[in-house]
Amino acid sequence: MTQSTENAPWPLAVLTLLAGAMLIAIAAGWLTVDPNDVHAPMWVIGAVGLVFAGAGLLMLLGPESMLHHWLAALMLAGFAAVGIWATLISDLQNLQGGLPFVSQETNVLFARGLFGFGAVISLALCGYAIKLALASREASSS
């Protein structure tokens, strides 16, 4: 059973698109923010903005759209990029929370492992979305 665009959650889709656009505008320098409030590189902020905007577009387009799988692949690539950055590059020393009764270093290693696991899963799902996009393109051309 497929969802038609008439049943799309328009308010949520528009809100998600606007949130993504705002993050993209911040990353591009069109909106200024206090640098003390930014704890990631601007490309990470932009990638998160693209993920939000892609989610909004997916809701508006619906699953029957030709772009559905490609947008999903782009979103998952964004998730993976942020996860790889958090795992390998970021300074997670400011990490709040974590496991009680273990050292901060252990909590940082645990957080990096979780981000890395999420990145691997996101990359695998991105590959699957690309496979589905190519299969749907082949099916529509025959």
Side-chain angles (χ1 to χ4, degrees):
M1 177 180 219
T2 61
Q3 173 184 345
S4 70
T5 55
E6 292 91 34
N7 296 331
W10 289 91
L12 182 60
V14 170
L15 182 66
T16 306
L17 256 172
L18 289 174
M22 185 181 74
L23 291 171
I24 291 168
I26 289 170
W30 302 328
L31 288 176
T32 57
V33 294
D34 182 4
N36 294 326
D37 293 336
V38 179
H39 303 289
M42 285 301 161
W43 75 262
V44 172
I45 307 293
V48 172
L50 286 173
V51 168
F52 271 89
L57 285 174
L58 276 176
M59 286 186 267
L60 290 175
L61 293 175
E64 65 276 351
S65 168
M66 292 290 289
L67 294 175
H68 179 82
H69 298 302
W70 290 113
L71 277 172
L74 181 65
M75 287 176 52
L76 289 160
F79 281 133
V82 172
I84 291 169
W85 170 79
T87 303
L88 301 176
I89 302 167
S90 75
D91 179 19
L92 292 178
Q93 297 303 319
N94 296 326
L95 184 71
Q96 300 295 316
L99 301 172
F101 309 115
V102 298
S103 68
Q104 177 68 7
E105 294 79 23
T106 302
N107 275 322
V108 168
L109 284 174
F110 183 66
R112 288 190 190 280
L114 287 177
F115 275 109
F117 180 72
V120 168
I121 296 296
S122 295
L123 284 174
L125 290 171
C126 178
Y128 183 66
I130 291 171
K131 177 184 173 188
L132 291 176
L134 294 173
S136 69
R137 188 178 76 182
E138 289 175 5
S140 67
S141 65
S142 30

